[in-house]
Amino acid sequence: MIREEKEKEKAIDNISYRITKDKKQEDTMMAKLTKKQKMVLKKKQNLANMMGESIKIENIINDPLFKTIGDKNKPATAEEIQEFLNK
């Protein structure tokens, strides 16, 4: 019983640590983009670089797929996308 209680406490500590860590990282993140959105942007940037073209941010923001893989509560803004592409 004592061992089970210690394991439960350890699990709760780990969960609360993770939640706190995630909240701190959210505040310090440069762009509020999801991992999938970042992957898509990197691929689009690589393709644009290979073809010698520039990326049109307006097209990315209006892309239904890009919106779908994003955060529904906090959709990506043009400034966040530009900031991500410039880093």
Side-chain angles (χ1 to χ4, degrees):
M1 283 237 196
I2 295 173
R3 183 175 182 197
E4 289 176 9
E5 290 176 14
K6 286 183 181 181
E7 289 176 2
K8 285 181 184 178
E9 287 177 16
K10 185 177 179 182
I12 291 170
D13 287 344
N14 288 341
I15 292 170
S16 62
Y17 169 78
R18 179 63 185 202
I19 291 170
T20 304
K21 182 180 174 187
D22 288 344
K23 284 181 183 176
K24 286 180 182 178
Q25 282 181 337
E26 273 185 26
D27 294 338
T28 61
M29 287 176 70
M30 291 174 64
K32 306 270 189 222
L33 303 169
T34 65
K35 289 180 183 179
K36 289 181 182 179
Q37 284 178 319
K38 289 178 183 179
M39 287 177 16
V40 168
L41 287 174
K42 284 180 186 177
K43 287 186 181 196
K44 285 185 180 282
Q45 188 174 33
N46 287 340
L47 286 171
N49 288 341
M50 284 192 291
M51 300 180 89
E53 298 175 355
S54 62
I55 297 175
K56 294 183 180 177
I57 295 176
E58 300 84 32
N59 293 345
I60 294 173
I61 290 176
N62 296 326
D63 184 4
L65 177 62
F66 193 77
K67 288 180 181 180
T68 303
I69 61 176
D71 186 357
K72 272 75 171 147
N73 297 330
K74 296 180 184 175
T77 63
E79 293 82 20
E80 292 171 339
I81 293 171
Q82 186 67 41
E83 184 177 337
F84 179 78
L85 294 174
N86 289 337
K87 72 172 185 170

